[in-house]
């Protein structure tokens, strides 16, 4: 018997990520599923991806990359079915110790309270039932991912507080019920590493790192089969053209393997509170 997919028109979703394209690999299928079932979705991207690569010089220059990447994300979300895309407009930071972290507009330099305040404002405006963000490891450890994780957790916790004691503040406060972290399991990195070695592809990370980067598998609470949405996910990811290096190690892996890896998405259910305390919203949608 085929199950009728649940209608989600009552559901409001907020997702926060650091860079344009962070939404795709670990969450693109679930985003497409939520959108297809009618959930209202707001995607917040903290930076414009200014420091990212340019796969083909005809697509962008270092000067206009921030605009090109914003447009790529808007296109990607159009493919996925997400209408509300917002940018906090920070410049991306680099890996630890790089000069990009000194830039005054970088997320790295942004006062934490300012970032949290902006996220609280968005939470209070869109009133999400569920919030998604990076996991505490930041996937592969990018400092911007980790920053967005922390600021989102802080905003999630504080959005329901009455901050000033006045009536309008109390009316605006909003407590989302669910908080999920989007995970990249270590076992997936390990599988990719092994297949790259088998196929003679130079892996972008060492064997030892494959056991350290990503989310510890035991942190994963919720595994979602997103094979029905993997084509949408791949089409959406393809919109991030400036980030697609055709000869990159991940692109060299066999398509069936990448399709298989991308068909499953992993989450940590971090908070489940209010009327549905103790339930796993996502697992219930499978
Ligand atoms: Zn990123």
């Amino acid at each position: 018997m085929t199950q009728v997919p649940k209608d989600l028109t009552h559901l409001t979703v907020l997702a926060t990520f650091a860079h344009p394209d962070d939404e795709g690999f670990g969450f693109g299928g679930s985003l497409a599923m939520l959108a297809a079932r009618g959930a209202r979705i707001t995607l917040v991207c903290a930076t414009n991806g200014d420091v990212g690569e340019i796969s083909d010089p005809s697509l962008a220059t270092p000067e206009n990359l921030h605009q090109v990447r914003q447009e790529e994300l808007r296109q990607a979300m159009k493919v996925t079915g997400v209408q509300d895309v917002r940018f906090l407009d920070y410049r991306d930071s680099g890996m630890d110790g790089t000069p990009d972290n000194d830039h005054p507009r970088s997320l790295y330099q942004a006062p934490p309270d300012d970032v949290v305040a902006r996220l609280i404002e968005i939470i209070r405006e869109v009133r999400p039932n569920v919030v998604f963000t990076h996991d505490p490891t930041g996937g592969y450890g990018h400092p911007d991912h980790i920053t967005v994780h922390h600021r989102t957790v802080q905003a999630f916790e504080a959005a329901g507080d009455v901050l000033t004691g006045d009536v309008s503040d109390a009316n605006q406060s909003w407590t989302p019920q669910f908080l999920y972290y989007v995970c990249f399991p270590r076992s997936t990195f390990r599988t990719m590493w092994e297949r790259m070695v088998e196929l003679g592809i130079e892996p972008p990370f060492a064997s030892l790192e494959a056991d350290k980067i990503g989310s510890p598998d035991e942190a994963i609470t919720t595994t979602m089969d997103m094979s029905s949405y993997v084509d949408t996910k791949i089409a959406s990811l393809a919109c991030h053209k400036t980030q697609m290096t055709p000869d990159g190690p991940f692109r060299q892996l066999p398509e069936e393997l990448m399709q298989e890896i991308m068909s499953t998405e992993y989450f940590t259910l971090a908070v489940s509170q209010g009327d549905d305390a103790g339930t796993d919203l996502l697992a219930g949608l499978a």
Side-chain angles (χ1 to χ4, degrees):
M1 201 176 79
T2 39
Q3 235 187 330
V4 179
K6 278 192 188 126
D7 174 86
L8 299 178
T9 44
H10 62 284
L11 192 76
T12 302
V13 176
L14 174 69
T16 62
F17 293 100
H19 309 115
D21 81 351
D22 286 341
E23 79 294 339
F25 197 85
F27 190 46
S30 301
L31 264 181
M33 179 272 289
L34 292 164
R37 294 192 191 176
R40 285 184 303 276
I41 306 171
T42 296
L43 184 91
V44 172
C45 185
T47 76
N48 300 323
D50 328 40
V51 187
E53 309 198 355
I54 302 176
S55 61
D56 173 349
S58 71
L59 295 171
T61 63
E63 290 70 39
N64 74 3
L65 183 59
H66 62 289
Q67 288 161 325
V68 173
R69 291 200 67 185
Q70 284 195 350
E71 197 44 41
E72 287 176 345
L73 180 58
R74 288 193 192 100
Q75 285 300 328
M77 291 302 93
K78 205 175 271 182
V79 170
T80 302
V82 173
Q83 279 114 8
D84 187 16
V85 180
R86 303 181 189 203
F87 293 89
L88 300 185
D89 219 20
Y90 294 108
R91 189 178 191 274
D92 22 329
S93 323
M95 296 304 277
D96 274 335
T98 57
D100 288 318
N101 294 340
D102 301 331
H103 197 285
R105 282 191 44 243
S106 68
L107 181 60
Y108 191 88
Q109 296 288 340
D113 288 351
D114 291 3
V115 183
V116 173
R118 293 180 70 188
L119 291 171
I120 289 176
E121 202 177 308
I122 294 171
I123 290 174
R124 289 175 162 200
E125 180 202 327
V126 305
R127 305 191 144 225
N129 311 101
V130 52
V131 176
F132 292 89
T133 192
H134 292 280
D135 87 322
T137 72
Y140 58 92
H142 193 296
D144 283 342
H145 298 181
I146 296 169
T147 300
V148 169
H149 165 82
H150 288 305
R151 302 299 166 259
T152 302
V153 171
Q154 288 167 303
F156 180 96
E157 285 167 354
D161 294 348
V162 179
L163 303 173
T164 61
D166 72 40
V167 177
S168 70
D169 190 37
N171 288 343
Q172 281 171 358
S173 72
W174 178 258
T175 307
Q177 286 164 269
F178 300 96
L179 176 63
Y180 284 94
Y181 306 149
V182 176
C183 297
F184 294 92
R186 280 180 192 165
S187 54
T188 304
F189 281 109
R190 166 57 60 182
T191 304
M192 290 195 285
W193 184 86
E194 283 168 359
R195 289 305 298 275
M196 284 175 189
V197 171
E198 261 171 49
L199 296 164
I201 303 165
E202 172 102 31
F205 44 88
S207 162
L208 199 66
E209 286 179 322
D211 296 323
K212 286 189 188 144
I213 51 176
S215 329
D217 284 56
E218 56 275 19
I220 291 157
T221 58
T222 312
T223 301
M224 299 291 287
D225 174 6
M226 282 298 135
S227 45
S228 311
Y229 296 92
V230 76
D231 291 340
T232 307
K233 171 174 175 166
I234 291 170
S236 177
L237 268 166
C239 296
H240 296 287
K241 290 198 183 81
T242 56
Q243 305 308 298
M244 299 280 157
T245 35
D247 50 356
F250 294 102
R251 295 295 291 263
Q252 289 180 56
L253 283 170
E255 220 176 295
E256 321 82 71
L257 175 67
M258 284 313 282
Q259 182 120 359
E260 188 194 314
I261 288 172
M262 288 210 270
S263 293
T264 310
E265 296 183 349
Y266 305 88
F267 301 87
T268 299
L269 171 59
V271 180
S272 159
Q273 62 191 7
D275 293 346
D276 294 309
T279 64
D280 185 336
L281 172 80
L282 263 189
L285 300 179

